[in-house]
Amino acid sequence: MAGLNLSKIKKSYGKIEVIHGVDLDIDDGEFVVFVGPSGCGKSTLLRMIAGLEETTSGQIDIGGRDVTHVDPAERGIAMVFQTYALYPHMTVEENVGFGLKMNKVPKEEIDEKVVRASDILKLGPYLKRKPKALSGGQRQRVAIGRAIVRGPEVFLFDEPLSNLDAELRLEMRVEIARLHKELGTTMIYVTHDQVEAMTLADKIVVLKDGLIEQVGAPLDLYENPDNKFVAGFIGSPAMNFISGEFKDGAITVNAIPGRSLKAEFKDNRSAGPISLGLRPEHIQTVSEPGNYNVDLVEELGGVSYIYLSTQSGEKIISEKSGRANVKIGESVSISFDPVHALYFDPESGLRCYSV
Ligand code: ADP
Ligand code: MG
């Protein structure tokens, strides 16, 4: 078992720097999820921790030991990838135990570890099968089994469920949560899946362009994003941004004439444009002609999403439980409780904290 400490780590490929100085502490036993848009550096960061990519500068400690330039095999980590990379000619049993066999671990010890891992992963009935006779989920379980038998201090997962269909993803997500509970080992998990990040993580790390935007517990990030990027990235459908004007201690919303919200900010900001952040569940569509046009309605049964736009092209999504009760093309108004509104500087994207 081990925690991690990343200090000022950077990565360049030739002259191009892709990780620009990341500082991060991960506690022993924590489940940490890296999220961010494609190309932001999630895999690179994970591979640097694994030792599969050289670290250009900075320091990586695992369990209090500087491993920045230590061989991957000596870091006490095991990594699970999106592609399972199983040996097709070997059985499940042989695949799971192969790494140990290569390391000349005695056969009895291998057998014991394989049985234990297959118990945890419910692979018992498939031990004699070859990978081609397994489902995608079972194959990914074998890949995880291969990681478990190594008894790592830290598990690293890079989008391990991306190749599975929706139903299997859900099943494997629950499995991975259970695995973490059972083993109590530190896990770092890369995903672009909102639900995986929200449900698995003790702590989410939001990355953008090779830098950390914010670190926090899932609901902290959801409720208290530091900036527009995090606000828009965490949550699905995403947070809505509505343009308003701040002046004389009050905010007016361009598309809702006649409404004014009292506001006082810590940064003593001067009058000017401000962006209101509101989650879909906090915006009500009102069937009264107004400045919003209904572009699309999605009724999922339990919940409906109403896609709205203003004449100036500002798009928002309003969530309603049950039926939508509005039609495409209808002109409507919106309402919201200002306690749910977050404010952002439209230029910098930074949160404007109220007094
Ligand atoms: P993510 O996993 O978040 O989608 P990556 O970590 O794979 O992103 O990539 C981060 C950035 O580093 C991207 O801009 C990518 O093009 C670049 N990159 C990754 N691997 C290499 C490489 N071997 N050579 C050059 N650039 C790379
Ligand atoms: Mg990646």
Side-chain angles (χ1 to χ4, degrees):
M1 304 270 282
L4 282 92
N5 180 273
L6 311 186
S7 174
K8 301 190 180 64
I9 67 168
K10 292 188 180 180
K11 172 73 188 175
S12 301
Y13 290 106
K15 288 201 173 114
I16 301 170
E17 190 175 273
V18 296
I19 302 289
H20 307 293
V22 163
D23 291 294
L24 181 66
D25 288 321
I26 295 174
D27 290 338
D28 184 13
E30 217 170 9
F31 199 124
V32 173
V33 175
F34 291 172
V35 295
S38 178
C40 71
K42 303 180 293 296
S43 296
T44 304
L45 205 52
L46 199 70
R47 293 171 62 84
M48 287 162 82
I49 295 170
L52 300 173
E53 293 287 352
E54 204 182 311
T55 297
T56 309
S57 67
Q59 186 171 325
I60 300 173
D61 289 355
I62 299 180
R65 181 170 67 110
D66 179 1
V67 298
T68 319
H69 302 290
V70 169
D71 194 72
E74 308 294 324
R75 294 192 182 200
I77 53 101
M79 189 149 167
V80 178
F81 301 90
Q82 179 176 345
T83 49
Y84 327 121
L86 304 180
Y87 297 106
H89 58 286
M90 289 183 199
T91 62
V92 166
E93 198 170 35
E94 289 162 345
N95 264 289
V96 173
F98 185 68
L100 300 178
K101 193 172 162 191
M102 284 291 99
N103 286 335
K104 309 228 163 19
V105 174
K107 186 172 179 312
E108 277 165 30
E109 194 180 327
I110 298 178
D111 289 348
E112 193 186 314
K113 286 187 169 157
V114 169
V115 166
R116 192 160 163 263
S118 61
D119 277 352
I120 293 173
L121 294 165
K122 304 195 190 90
L123 281 170
Y126 315 107
L127 284 176
K128 302 289 178 206
R129 284 199 201 172
K130 301 252 173 82
K132 67 173 190 304
L134 299 174
S135 71
Q138 288 162 344
R139 282 180 208 170
Q140 190 54 293
R141 248 174 254 225
V142 176
I144 296 171
R146 206 165 41 182
I148 292 178
V149 292
R150 299 182 52 195
E153 299 197 277
V154 181
F155 282 92
L156 306 176
F157 294 93
D158 194 354
E159 310 216 17
L161 309 186
S162 297
N163 282 354
L164 306 178
D165 62 37
E167 199 179 331
L168 270 175
R169 277 183 90 112
L170 170 77
E171 196 181 303
M172 283 304 290
R173 194 177 85 216
V174 174
E175 286 286 303
I176 287 175
R178 190 178 59 80
L179 188 69
H180 179 247
K181 221 173 198 159
E182 210 162 310
L183 302 175
T185 311
T186 311
M187 294 187 174
I188 309 178
Y189 189 103
V190 168
T191 184
H192 59 261
D193 185 303
Q194 284 286 326
V195 184
E196 281 176 25
M198 293 301 283
T199 55
L200 289 171
D202 293 316
K203 185 153 97 184
I204 294 180
V205 177
V206 183
L207 291 159
K208 183 191 166 205
D209 298 337
L211 277 172
I212 292 181
E213 289 283 315
Q214 195 174 353
V215 178
L219 289 181
D220 283 346
L221 294 189
Y222 189 83
E223 288 165 359
N224 266 314
D226 280 345
N227 57 52
K228 244 177 134 168
F229 178 79
V230 175
F233 197 80
I234 300 288
S236 175
M239 181 179 278
N240 299 290
F241 298 108
I242 299 175
S243 35
E245 291 290 328
F246 175 63
K247 200 180 155 194
D248 302 331
I251 290 170
T252 49
V253 177
N254 307 356
I256 313 179
R259 184 154 185 213
S260 151
L261 314 168
K262 277 210 177 80
E264 200 183 339
F265 294 108
K266 282 181 182 161
D267 63 355
N268 281 324
R269 55 187 307 110
S270 43
I274 196 154
S275 187
L276 279 75
L278 282 159
R279 297 276 173 204
E281 64 268 30
H282 294 142
I283 294 182
Q284 288 83 45
T285 302
V286 184
S287 288
E288 278 169 23
N291 285 329
Y292 287 90
N293 179 66
V294 179
D295 293 337
L296 181 70
V297 173
E298 288 179 338
E299 294 185 299
L300 305 182
V303 66
S304 297
Y305 296 111
I306 306 164
Y307 293 69
L308 305 168
S309 67
T310 62
Q311 213 147 45
S312 64
E314 194 167 86
K315 292 181 188 304
I316 62 169
I317 300 177
S318 146
E319 180 181 326
K320 186 178 173 302
S321 68
R323 289 173 187 252
N325 292 329
V326 289
K327 287 192 193 72
I328 293 175
E330 208 176 316
S331 155
V332 295
S333 307
I334 63 163
S335 76
F336 60 86
D337 182 339
V339 299
H340 296 303
L342 306 181
Y343 301 104
F344 299 92
D345 185 308
E347 285 267 302
S348 67
L350 292 177
R351 177 94 171 265
C352 310
Y353 289 94
S354 303
V355 169

mmCIF file of all heavy atoms in Angstrom, residues 13-57:
data_model
loop_
_atom_site.group_PDB
_atom_site.id
_atom_site.type_symbol
_atom_site.label_atom_id
_atom_site.label_comp_id
_atom_site.label_asym_id
_atom_site.label_seq_id
_atom_site.Cartn_x
_atom_site.Cartn_y
_atom_site.Cartn_z
ATOM 1 N N TYR A 13 7.929 16.113 -25.438
ATOM 2 C CA TYR A 13 8.307 15.248 -26.544
ATOM 3 C C TYR A 13 9.108 16.137 -27.482
ATOM 4 O O TYR A 13 8.523 17.045 -28.091
ATOM 5 C CB TYR A 13 7.089 14.687 -27.261
ATOM 6 C CG TYR A 13 6.327 13.671 -26.443
ATOM 7 C CD1 TYR A 13 5.096 13.996 -25.871
ATOM 8 C CD2 TYR A 13 6.830 12.386 -26.258
ATOM 9 C CE1 TYR A 13 4.393 13.060 -25.122
ATOM 10 C CE2 TYR A 13 6.129 11.449 -25.514
ATOM 11 C CZ TYR A 13 4.912 11.795 -24.947
ATOM 12 O OH TYR A 13 4.226 10.878 -24.219
ATOM 13 N N GLY A 14 10.384 15.943 -27.551
ATOM 14 C CA GLY A 14 11.228 16.855 -28.328
ATOM 15 C C GLY A 14 11.090 18.244 -27.744
ATOM 16 O O GLY A 14 11.277 18.431 -26.544
ATOM 17 N N LYS A 15 10.731 19.194 -28.593
ATOM 18 C CA LYS A 15 10.626 20.581 -28.115
ATOM 19 C C LYS A 15 9.245 20.894 -27.572
ATOM 20 O O LYS A 15 8.998 21.971 -27.039
ATOM 21 C CB LYS A 15 10.955 21.544 -29.261
ATOM 22 C CG LYS A 15 12.441 21.553 -29.608
ATOM 23 C CD LYS A 15 12.804 22.843 -30.337
ATOM 24 C CE LYS A 15 14.298 22.940 -30.541
ATOM 25 N NZ LYS A 15 14.701 22.886 -31.940
ATOM 26 N N ILE A 16 8.310 19.964 -27.742
ATOM 27 C CA ILE A 16 6.930 20.277 -27.355
ATOM 28 C C ILE A 16 6.639 19.783 -25.945
ATOM 29 O O ILE A 16 6.724 18.583 -25.664
ATOM 30 C CB ILE A 16 5.932 19.659 -28.354
ATOM 31 C CG1 ILE A 16 6.233 20.228 -29.755
ATOM 32 C CG2 ILE A 16 4.495 19.953 -27.963
ATOM 33 C CD1 ILE A 16 5.490 19.547 -30.865
ATOM 34 N N GLU A 17 6.302 20.727 -25.078
ATOM 35 C CA GLU A 17 5.955 20.355 -23.706
ATOM 36 C C GLU A 17 4.465 20.030 -23.659
ATOM 37 O O GLU A 17 3.642 20.819 -24.130
ATOM 38 C CB GLU A 17 6.279 21.521 -22.759
ATOM 39 C CG GLU A 17 6.178 21.123 -21.300
ATOM 40 C CD GLU A 17 6.627 22.240 -20.367
ATOM 41 O OE1 GLU A 17 7.838 22.322 -20.083
ATOM 42 O OE2 GLU A 17 5.760 23.014 -19.939
ATOM 43 N N VAL A 18 4.115 18.859 -23.111
ATOM 44 C CA VAL A 18 2.698 18.473 -23.054
ATOM 45 C C VAL A 18 2.173 18.403 -21.618
ATOM 46 O O VAL A 18 0.968 18.512 -21.387
ATOM 47 C CB VAL A 18 2.423 17.133 -23.788
ATOM 48 C CG1 VAL A 18 2.720 17.267 -25.277
ATOM 49 C CG2 VAL A 18 3.199 15.981 -23.196
ATOM 50 N N ILE A 19 3.049 18.239 -20.636
ATOM 51 C CA ILE A 19 2.662 18.320 -19.217
ATOM 52 C C ILE A 19 3.504 19.454 -18.635
ATOM 53 O O ILE A 19 4.729 19.426 -18.704
ATOM 54 C CB ILE A 19 2.949 16.997 -18.462
ATOM 55 C CG1 ILE A 19 2.215 15.798 -19.109
ATOM 56 C CG2 ILE A 19 2.577 17.110 -16.976
ATOM 57 C CD1 ILE A 19 0.716 15.769 -18.923
ATOM 58 N N HIS A 20 2.816 20.450 -18.073
ATOM 59 C CA HIS A 20 3.498 21.717 -17.802
ATOM 60 C C HIS A 20 3.841 21.990 -16.350
ATOM 61 O O HIS A 20 4.004 23.133 -15.960
ATOM 62 C CB HIS A 20 2.640 22.882 -18.316
ATOM 63 C CG HIS A 20 2.239 22.732 -19.744
ATOM 64 N ND1 HIS A 20 3.143 22.774 -20.775
ATOM 65 C CD2 HIS A 20 1.032 22.497 -20.310
ATOM 66 C CE1 HIS A 20 2.499 22.605 -21.918
ATOM 67 N NE2 HIS A 20 1.220 22.425 -21.661
ATOM 68 N N GLY A 21 3.887 20.957 -15.541
ATOM 69 C CA GLY A 21 4.195 21.198 -14.130
ATOM 70 C C GLY A 21 2.989 20.810 -13.296
ATOM 71 O O GLY A 21 2.136 21.635 -13.001
ATOM 72 N N VAL A 22 2.932 19.538 -12.925
ATOM 73 C CA VAL A 22 1.785 19.023 -12.169
ATOM 74 C C VAL A 22 2.228 18.695 -10.747
ATOM 75 O O VAL A 22 3.226 18.012 -10.535
ATOM 76 C CB VAL A 22 1.195 17.773 -12.872
ATOM 77 C CG1 VAL A 22 0.297 16.986 -11.937
ATOM 78 C CG2 VAL A 22 0.429 18.181 -14.124
ATOM 79 N N ASP A 23 1.485 19.224 -9.788
ATOM 80 C CA ASP A 23 1.678 18.895 -8.377
ATOM 81 C C ASP A 23 0.431 18.172 -7.908
ATOM 82 O O ASP A 23 -0.675 18.657 -8.113
ATOM 83 C CB ASP A 23 1.819 20.173 -7.530
ATOM 84 C CG ASP A 23 3.120 20.895 -7.818
ATOM 85 O OD1 ASP A 23 4.177 20.340 -7.507
ATOM 86 O OD2 ASP A 23 3.056 22.015 -8.362
ATOM 87 N N LEU A 24 0.622 17.017 -7.288
ATOM 88 C CA LEU A 24 -0.548 16.260 -6.846
ATOM 89 C C LEU A 24 -0.165 15.312 -5.724
ATOM 90 O O LEU A 24 0.848 14.627 -5.797
ATOM 91 C CB LEU A 24 -1.101 15.452 -8.037
ATOM 92 C CG LEU A 24 -2.342 14.609 -7.792
ATOM 93 C CD1 LEU A 24 -3.553 15.486 -7.484
ATOM 94 C CD2 LEU A 24 -2.646 13.728 -8.996
ATOM 95 N N ASP A 25 -0.995 15.282 -4.669
ATOM 96 C CA ASP A 25 -0.814 14.314 -3.591
ATOM 97 C C ASP A 25 -1.958 13.314 -3.632
ATOM 98 O O ASP A 25 -3.116 13.700 -3.744
ATOM 99 C CB ASP A 25 -0.827 15.016 -2.226
ATOM 100 C CG ASP A 25 0.443 15.812 -2.006
ATOM 101 O OD1 ASP A 25 1.514 15.320 -2.411
ATOM 102 O OD2 ASP A 25 0.363 16.919 -1.454
ATOM 103 N N ILE A 26 -1.609 12.054 -3.550
ATOM 104 C CA ILE A 26 -2.622 11.002 -3.532
ATOM 105 C C ILE A 26 -2.384 10.188 -2.265
ATOM 106 O O ILE A 26 -1.268 9.722 -2.011
ATOM 107 C CB ILE A 26 -2.496 10.116 -4.792
ATOM 108 C CG1 ILE A 26 -2.813 10.962 -6.033
ATOM 109 C CG2 ILE A 26 -3.413 8.896 -4.690
ATOM 110 C CD1 ILE A 26 -2.590 10.245 -7.357
ATOM 111 N N ASP A 27 -3.448 10.049 -1.457
ATOM 112 C CA ASP A 27 -3.305 9.322 -0.196
ATOM 113 C C ASP A 27 -3.281 7.819 -0.436
ATOM 114 O O ASP A 27 -3.859 7.322 -1.409
ATOM 115 C CB ASP A 27 -4.471 9.647 0.748
ATOM 116 C CG ASP A 27 -4.389 11.068 1.264
ATOM 117 O OD1 ASP A 27 -3.276 11.632 1.257
ATOM 118 O OD2 ASP A 27 -5.440 11.611 1.650
ATOM 119 N N ASP A 28 -2.673 7.128 0.507
ATOM 120 C CA ASP A 28 -2.664 5.682 0.498
ATOM 121 C C ASP A 28 -4.103 5.171 0.502
ATOM 122 O O ASP A 28 -4.915 5.591 1.324
ATOM 123 C CB ASP A 28 -1.923 5.218 1.767
ATOM 124 C CG ASP A 28 -1.762 3.728 1.823
ATOM 125 O OD1 ASP A 28 -2.003 3.079 0.790
ATOM 126 O OD2 ASP A 28 -1.390 3.222 2.886
ATOM 127 N N GLY A 29 -4.434 4.312 -0.445
ATOM 128 C CA GLY A 29 -5.767 3.716 -0.488
ATOM 129 C C GLY A 29 -6.807 4.541 -1.226
ATOM 130 O O GLY A 29 -7.949 4.110 -1.376
ATOM 131 N N GLU A 30 -6.414 5.705 -1.703
ATOM 132 C CA GLU A 30 -7.378 6.573 -2.361
ATOM 133 C C GLU A 30 -7.694 6.089 -3.788
ATOM 134 O O GLU A 30 -6.841 5.509 -4.441
ATOM 135 C CB GLU A 30 -6.789 7.988 -2.436
ATOM 136 C CG GLU A 30 -7.803 9.073 -2.233
ATOM 137 C CD GLU A 30 -7.170 10.466 -2.073
ATOM 138 O OE1 GLU A 30 -5.957 10.649 -2.275
ATOM 139 O OE2 GLU A 30 -7.930 11.363 -1.754
ATOM 140 N N PHE A 31 -8.907 6.387 -4.252
ATOM 141 C CA PHE A 31 -9.276 6.126 -5.646
ATOM 142 C C PHE A 31 -9.326 7.476 -6.347
ATOM 143 O O PHE A 31 -10.199 8.290 -6.080
ATOM 144 C CB PHE A 31 -10.641 5.423 -5.730
ATOM 145 C CG PHE A 31 -10.880 4.733 -7.049
ATOM 146 C CD1 PHE A 31 -11.189 3.380 -7.083
ATOM 147 C CD2 PHE A 31 -10.793 5.417 -8.249
ATOM 148 C CE1 PHE A 31 -11.405 2.724 -8.296
ATOM 149 C CE2 PHE A 31 -11.001 4.776 -9.463
ATOM 150 C CZ PHE A 31 -11.307 3.425 -9.483
ATOM 151 N N VAL A 32 -8.349 7.689 -7.222
ATOM 152 C CA VAL A 32 -8.238 8.993 -7.882
ATOM 153 C C VAL A 32 -8.550 8.834 -9.361
ATOM 154 O O VAL A 32 -8.054 7.906 -10.007
ATOM 155 C CB VAL A 32 -6.820 9.560 -7.703
ATOM 156 C CG1 VAL A 32 -6.634 10.828 -8.519
ATOM 157 C CG2 VAL A 32 -6.560 9.845 -6.233
ATOM 158 N N VAL A 33 -9.387 9.704 -9.889
ATOM 159 C CA VAL A 33 -9.743 9.638 -11.305
ATOM 160 C C VAL A 33 -9.216 10.871 -12.032
ATOM 161 O O VAL A 33 -9.440 11.998 -11.577
ATOM 162 C CB VAL A 33 -11.274 9.509 -11.484
ATOM 163 C CG1 VAL A 33 -11.652 9.571 -12.957
ATOM 164 C CG2 VAL A 33 -11.781 8.208 -10.865
ATOM 165 N N PHE A 34 -8.511 10.648 -13.137
ATOM 166 C CA PHE A 34 -8.080 11.740 -14.011
ATOM 167 C C PHE A 34 -9.118 11.900 -15.115
ATOM 168 O O PHE A 34 -9.405 10.933 -15.826
ATOM 169 C CB PHE A 34 -6.744 11.418 -14.700
ATOM 170 C CG PHE A 34 -5.539 11.368 -13.794
ATOM 171 C CD1 PHE A 34 -4.320 10.933 -14.290
ATOM 172 C CD2 PHE A 34 -5.597 11.767 -12.456
ATOM 173 C CE1 PHE A 34 -3.179 10.884 -13.481
ATOM 174 C CE2 PHE A 34 -4.471 11.724 -11.643
ATOM 175 C CZ PHE A 34 -3.261 11.275 -12.152
ATOM 176 N N VAL A 35 -9.678 13.089 -15.249
ATOM 177 C CA VAL A 35 -10.584 13.358 -16.370
ATOM 178 C C VAL A 35 -10.108 14.595 -17.121
ATOM 179 O O VAL A 35 -9.341 15.401 -16.588
ATOM 180 C CB VAL A 35 -12.058 13.575 -15.937
ATOM 181 C CG1 VAL A 35 -12.662 12.332 -15.337
ATOM 182 C CG2 VAL A 35 -12.204 14.756 -14.993
ATOM 183 N N GLY A 36 -10.608 14.753 -18.316
ATOM 184 C CA GLY A 36 -10.253 15.910 -19.129
ATOM 185 C C GLY A 36 -10.440 15.572 -20.583
ATOM 186 O O GLY A 36 -10.548 14.391 -20.933
ATOM 187 N N PRO A 37 -10.497 16.586 -21.443
ATOM 188 C CA PRO A 37 -10.732 16.333 -22.862
ATOM 189 C C PRO A 37 -9.608 15.513 -23.484
ATOM 190 O O PRO A 37 -8.502 15.459 -22.953
ATOM 191 C CB PRO A 37 -10.771 17.724 -23.494
ATOM 192 C CG PRO A 37 -10.515 18.703 -22.421
ATOM 193 C CD PRO A 37 -10.293 18.001 -21.136
ATOM 194 N N SER A 38 -9.898 14.902 -24.595
ATOM 195 C CA SER A 38 -8.915 14.105 -25.308
ATOM 196 C C SER A 38 -7.675 14.950 -25.602
ATOM 197 O O SER A 38 -7.790 16.099 -26.003
ATOM 198 C CB SER A 38 -9.567 13.616 -26.600
ATOM 199 O OG SER A 38 -8.652 12.881 -27.328
ATOM 200 N N GLY A 39 -6.505 14.373 -25.339
ATOM 201 C CA GLY A 39 -5.258 15.081 -25.631
ATOM 202 C C GLY A 39 -4.772 15.984 -24.510
ATOM 203 O O GLY A 39 -3.752 16.649 -24.652
ATOM 204 N N CYS A 40 -5.461 15.998 -23.356
ATOM 205 C CA CYS A 40 -5.063 16.914 -22.281
ATOM 206 C C CYS A 40 -3.881 16.366 -21.472
ATOM 207 O O CYS A 40 -3.309 17.072 -20.655
ATOM 208 C CB CYS A 40 -6.241 17.218 -21.361
ATOM 209 S SG CYS A 40 -6.729 15.825 -20.342
ATOM 210 N N GLY A 41 -3.540 15.087 -21.670
ATOM 211 C CA GLY A 41 -2.358 14.549 -20.994
ATOM 212 C C GLY A 41 -2.644 13.490 -19.936
ATOM 213 O O GLY A 41 -1.755 13.123 -19.176
ATOM 214 N N LYS A 42 -3.852 12.963 -19.904
ATOM 215 C CA LYS A 42 -4.211 11.957 -18.896
ATOM 216 C C LYS A 42 -3.320 10.722 -18.996
ATOM 217 O O LYS A 42 -2.728 10.277 -18.012
ATOM 218 C CB LYS A 42 -5.686 11.524 -19.061
ATOM 219 C CG LYS A 42 -6.685 12.639 -18.994
ATOM 220 C CD LYS A 42 -8.116 12.140 -19.166
ATOM 221 C CE LYS A 42 -8.471 11.578 -20.531
ATOM 222 N NZ LYS A 42 -8.407 12.547 -21.637
ATOM 223 N N SER A 43 -3.252 10.167 -20.212
ATOM 224 C CA SER A 43 -2.460 8.943 -20.396
ATOM 225 C C SER A 43 -0.987 9.211 -20.167
ATOM 226 O O SER A 43 -0.294 8.394 -19.543
ATOM 227 C CB SER A 43 -2.641 8.382 -21.813
ATOM 228 O OG SER A 43 -3.971 7.995 -21.993
ATOM 229 N N THR A 44 -0.506 10.355 -20.641
ATOM 230 C CA THR A 44 0.906 10.687 -20.467
ATOM 231 C C THR A 44 1.250 10.728 -18.984
ATOM 232 O O THR A 44 2.244 10.144 -18.544
ATOM 233 C CB THR A 44 1.215 12.040 -21.135
ATOM 234 O OG1 THR A 44 0.824 11.957 -22.501
ATOM 235 C CG2 THR A 44 2.682 12.393 -21.042
ATOM 236 N N LEU A 45 0.405 11.376 -18.208
ATOM 237 C CA LEU A 45 0.642 11.491 -16.774
ATOM 238 C C LEU A 45 0.649 10.106 -16.107
ATOM 239 O O LEU A 45 1.527 9.794 -15.294
ATOM 240 C CB LEU A 45 -0.464 12.368 -16.179
ATOM 241 C CG LEU A 45 -0.171 13.103 -14.890
ATOM 242 C CD1 LEU A 45 1.108 13.912 -14.987
ATOM 243 C CD2 LEU A 45 -1.342 14.036 -14.553
ATOM 244 N N LEU A 46 -0.301 9.284 -16.502
ATOM 245 C CA LEU A 46 -0.395 7.947 -15.926
ATOM 246 C C LEU A 46 0.839 7.109 -16.307
ATOM 247 O O LEU A 46 1.401 6.391 -15.474
ATOM 248 C CB LEU A 46 -1.669 7.265 -16.436
ATOM 249 C CG LEU A 46 -2.162 6.092 -15.615
ATOM 250 C CD1 LEU A 46 -2.707 6.586 -14.283
ATOM 251 C CD2 LEU A 46 -3.261 5.328 -16.344
ATOM 252 N N ARG A 47 1.253 7.246 -17.570
ATOM 253 C CA ARG A 47 2.415 6.489 -18.045
ATOM 254 C C ARG A 47 3.714 6.972 -17.402
ATOM 255 O O ARG A 47 4.645 6.201 -17.223
ATOM 256 C CB ARG A 47 2.491 6.561 -19.574
ATOM 257 C CG ARG A 47 1.315 5.819 -20.247
ATOM 258 C CD ARG A 47 1.257 6.081 -21.740
ATOM 259 N NE ARG A 47 2.468 5.591 -22.403
ATOM 260 C CZ ARG A 47 2.657 4.330 -22.786
ATOM 261 N NH1 ARG A 47 1.705 3.440 -22.588
ATOM 262 N NH2 ARG A 47 3.775 3.976 -23.360
ATOM 263 N N MET A 48 3.742 8.251 -17.040
ATOM 264 C CA MET A 48 4.913 8.761 -16.314
ATOM 265 C C MET A 48 4.959 8.156 -14.912
ATOM 266 O O MET A 48 6.026 7.797 -14.412
ATOM 267 C CB MET A 48 4.849 10.291 -16.222
ATOM 268 C CG MET A 48 5.147 10.989 -17.538
ATOM 269 S SD MET A 48 4.572 12.694 -17.533
ATOM 270 C CE MET A 48 5.934 13.479 -16.694
ATOM 271 N N ILE A 49 3.793 8.031 -14.283
ATOM 272 C CA ILE A 49 3.737 7.416 -12.949
ATOM 273 C C ILE A 49 4.187 5.950 -13.052
ATOM 274 O O ILE A 49 4.911 5.441 -12.206
ATOM 275 C CB ILE A 49 2.306 7.527 -12.354
ATOM 276 C CG1 ILE A 49 1.956 8.994 -12.105
ATOM 277 C CG2 ILE A 49 2.176 6.706 -11.069
ATOM 278 C CD1 ILE A 49 0.499 9.246 -11.756
ATOM 279 N N ALA A 50 3.758 5.305 -14.145
ATOM 280 C CA ALA A 50 4.108 3.892 -14.347
ATOM 281 C C ALA A 50 5.575 3.709 -14.712
ATOM 282 O O ALA A 50 6.124 2.624 -14.565
ATOM 283 C CB ALA A 50 3.231 3.299 -15.451
ATOM 284 N N GLY A 51 6.180 4.772 -15.226
ATOM 285 C CA GLY A 51 7.565 4.654 -15.677
ATOM 286 C C GLY A 51 7.667 4.241 -17.133
ATOM 287 O O GLY A 51 8.738 3.932 -17.629
ATOM 288 N N LEU A 52 6.521 4.244 -17.840
ATOM 289 C CA LEU A 52 6.527 3.884 -19.264
ATOM 290 C C LEU A 52 6.914 5.087 -20.114
ATOM 291 O O LEU A 52 7.248 4.950 -21.284
ATOM 292 C CB LEU A 52 5.147 3.367 -19.687
ATOM 293 C CG LEU A 52 4.668 2.125 -18.942
ATOM 294 C CD1 LEU A 52 3.232 1.795 -19.305
ATOM 295 C CD2 LEU A 52 5.574 0.937 -19.230
ATOM 296 N N GLU A 53 6.818 6.279 -19.556
ATOM 297 C CA GLU A 53 7.307 7.494 -20.206
ATOM 298 C C GLU A 53 8.305 8.123 -19.256
ATOM 299 O O GLU A 53 8.054 8.191 -18.045
ATOM 300 C CB GLU A 53 6.161 8.506 -20.421
ATOM 301 C CG GLU A 53 5.110 8.074 -21.396
ATOM 302 C CD GLU A 53 5.565 8.123 -22.847
ATOM 303 O OE1 GLU A 53 6.660 8.636 -23.117
ATOM 304 O OE2 GLU A 53 4.814 7.607 -23.686
ATOM 305 N N GLU A 54 9.373 8.607 -19.816
ATOM 306 C CA GLU A 54 10.378 9.270 -18.988
ATOM 307 C C GLU A 54 9.821 10.615 -18.519
ATOM 308 O O GLU A 54 9.085 11.280 -19.250
ATOM 309 C CB GLU A 54 11.620 9.488 -19.838
ATOM 310 C CG GLU A 54 12.874 9.625 -19.007
ATOM 311 C CD GLU A 54 14.064 9.886 -19.902
ATOM 312 O OE1 GLU A 54 14.214 9.142 -20.891
ATOM 313 O OE2 GLU A 54 14.786 10.856 -19.621
ATOM 314 N N THR A 55 10.159 11.000 -17.300
ATOM 315 C CA THR A 55 9.732 12.293 -16.767
ATOM 316 C C THR A 55 10.816 13.319 -17.094
ATOM 317 O O THR A 55 11.978 13.122 -16.737
ATOM 318 C CB THR A 55 9.514 12.173 -15.248
ATOM 319 O OG1 THR A 55 8.461 11.236 -15.024
ATOM 320 C CG2 THR A 55 9.124 13.506 -14.617
ATOM 321 N N THR A 56 10.422 14.386 -17.787
ATOM 322 C CA THR A 56 11.412 15.372 -18.229
ATOM 323 C C THR A 56 11.991 16.142 -17.048
ATOM 324 O O THR A 56 13.194 16.335 -16.946
ATOM 325 C CB THR A 56 10.774 16.336 -19.261
ATOM 326 O OG1 THR A 56 10.131 15.556 -20.271
ATOM 327 C CG2 THR A 56 11.818 17.222 -19.909
ATOM 328 N N SER A 57 11.101 16.601 -16.151
ATOM 329 C CA SER A 57 11.595 17.201 -14.911
ATOM 330 C C SER A 57 10.548 17.059 -13.825
ATOM 331 O O SER A 57 9.394 16.739 -14.105
ATOM 332 C CB SER A 57 11.966 18.673 -15.131
ATOM 333 O OG SER A 57 10.806 19.417 -15.394
#
